[in-house]
Amino acid sequence: GISLKKGYTVTNWEARPLTKQQIGYALDDVLPLYDMWQNLKQRLEERGRFAWAKEEFEALERSARYEKDPYDEALKSSLMRKANQKEKIFLLRLYNWRTSEAERKNYSKEMILSSKLIGHIARGMRSGKNALKGNRRLPDRIVDRYWSTFDSLYQQPASDEELSVLKRIKKQKKDDPQKDLLYEILYSVIKYKCLDKGIDVSIAFPRADLKLIKEDVSHADVVFNAGWRQAFFGKTFNKWLKNSPHLQIDIGPDSIE
């Protein structure tokens, strides 16, 4: 086996420039990969699963996989559900501005503006610069450096596109413990099949896909109706998950159905 030092496992890989030690650590991480790939390829071919792996890697090569919704970060923020409309528009712009600045300077987003400050800024904008400077949680240097930018983002009228984006904010759903448990049972059955066939469930059916199906059952077709997963899972699991809103569990004296 190969032993690698772990001293830079949790280093800040978004920092620029990278140090010589970080670059050396990164190289040590990848140089053994070719020999490992040859070994894994042979094992996959012996089990008739090399085509599965090839399909997965080809999916990673598609540019569409890495295309990001420019409003995704803001829409996922819990701040959006609590803010009024003007604050929501400001948050859309602030998150986008932070991302653009990070890309322009080749910094991490947290180096541009810490996430923990964003809520305080959004709530304080209506009261002006002095109110922000009076907030002990906001460093004066942040307010002084970026006030003109913050004010410009806040004062601009909302565009039609931004108003349309606000309609995509999802309302917080009420908890449904029984439905959540039902999904966990279905996931456990899928996990059992994966264990039985010697494949990691995190590869065959990641929890992220389960979450997407809970939000929109049509995503089950995306997961189960194409490629190697269709052959591996068959039609049963797709049918279960697509019909999950209507599934019920009956517990009898001698059986569970």
Side-chain angles (χ1 to χ4, degrees), residues 51-52 55-56 59 62 204 218-235 238:
W52 297 9
E55 183 182 320
E56 291 296 294
R62 298 188 190 108
S218 66
H219 186 72
D221 284 333
V222 177
V223 176
F224 295 110
N225 272 7
W228 69 267
R229 287 180 179 82
Q230 183 180 37
F232 178 71
F233 285 111
K235 296 180 180 180
N238 185 22

Side-chain angles (χ1 to χ4, degrees), residues 18 31 44 52 102 162 166 168 170 172 218 223 227 233 235:
L18 294 175
L31 288 175
L44 286 166
W52 297 9
E162 289 169 333
L166 293 190
R168 294 163 50 195
K170 296 178 180 177
Q172 194 164 10
S218 66
V223 176
F233 285 111
K235 296 180 180 180

Side-chain angles (χ1 to χ4, degrees), residues 37 44 49-61:
W37 161 245
L44 286 166
R49 294 181 178 178
F50 179 69
W52 297 9
K54 190 171 182 291
E55 183 182 320
E56 291 296 294
F57 289 127
E58 287 173 349
L60 295 174
E61 294 173 2

Side-chain angles (χ1 to χ4, degrees), residues 74-92:
L75 291 172
K76 287 182 177 178
S77 170
S78 61
L79 297 171
M80 294 293 279
R81 291 193 293 270
K82 303 172 184 176
N84 60 42
Q85 179 167 298
K86 193 169 182 64
E87 290 170 346
K88 289 175 182 176
I89 296 294
F90 174 72
L91 285 166
L92 291 179

Side-chain angles (χ1 to χ4, degrees), residues 169-199:
I169 298 174
K170 296 178 180 177
K171 295 181 180 179
Q172 194 164 10
K173 294 181 179 180
K174 294 181 179 179
D175 290 337
D176 188 342
Q178 285 185 320
K179 188 63 64 179
D180 290 340
L181 183 57
L182 177 61
Y183 276 110
E184 287 302 317
I185 292 171
L186 289 174
Y187 190 77
S188 294
V189 174
I190 291 172
K191 187 174 182 180
Y192 181 87
K193 178 178 176 66
C194 290
L195 288 170
D196 186 53
K197 300 299 182 181
I199 184 168

